[in-house]
Every structure is written in structure tokens, then in C-alpha cells.
């Protein structure tokens, strides 16, 4: 499986988190559509099926991620 470059994953995670905050405050259809698009891209980029797993997988590929971090196992 091809994996996205960590810089691409970082940008996707940042965009998703920003939109998540906007969704909580504003809740517009455009924000939701963009969140869905980024969630899909994260899932494809990480080989996962849901956005929560995609975010965990992406964060584990980012620079500075601890190899011994087992946060994915506690979900």
C-alpha cells in the first residue's frame, strides 16, 4: 500500500482539526462537506475505514511520533 508523505498527512490532520472546531461552532453544510472530503482522503491515505482510525494512523506517521506510543490500542 502506498502511504502519503508525512507532510501531506500533517496538513490533512491540521485541516480536519480546524474544520472540526468550525463545525462545532458554525455547523454549515460547506464545513461538513469539506470535513467529509478530508476524512475520506485521510482514510485512503492511511488505509483505514473511519476517520478516528485515520487520525491515529496519520499521527503515528508524523515526525516526532513515539514508536512506543500505543494510543491506537486504547481506543
Amino acid at each position: 500500500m502506498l502511504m502519503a508523505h508525512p507532510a501531506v498527512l500533517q496538513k490533512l490532520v491540521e485541516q480536519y482539526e480546524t474544520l472540526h472546531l468550525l463545525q462545532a461552532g458554525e455547523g454549515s453544510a460547506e464545513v461538513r462537506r469539506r470535513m467529509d472530503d478530508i476524512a475520506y482522503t485521510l482514510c485512503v491515505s492511511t488505509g483505514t475505514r473511519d476517520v478516528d482510525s485515520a487520525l491515529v494512523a496519520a499521527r503515528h506517521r508524523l515526525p516526532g511520533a513515539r514508536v512506543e506510543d500505543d494510543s491506537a490500542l486504547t481506543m
Side-chain angles (χ1 to χ4, degrees):
M1 174 177 80
L2 293 175
M3 293 296 286
H5 190 278
V8 172
L9 292 175
Q10 176 71 40
K11 185 168 267 297
L12 288 169
V13 169
E14 288 171 0
Q15 289 176 0
Y16 186 85
E17 289 172 345
T18 299
L19 289 168
H20 184 72
L21 291 173
L22 286 174
Q23 177 69 18
E26 182 182 317
S28 75
E30 177 62 25
V31 170
R32 184 68 204 158
R33 184 194 62 76
R34 186 69 182 129
M35 270 183 74
D36 290 344
D37 289 347
I38 292 175
Y40 174 79
T41 304
L42 274 166
C43 288
V44 170
S45 299
T46 58
T48 58
R49 293 181 182 258
D50 64 85
V51 71
D52 293 326
S53 298
L55 289 167
V56 169
R59 287 182 182 121
H60 278 277
R61 300 235 21 246
L62 297 179
R66 296 184 329 221
V67 176
E68 68 276 0
D69 186 359
D70 64 352
S71 61
L73 301 176
T74 60
M75 295 188 85

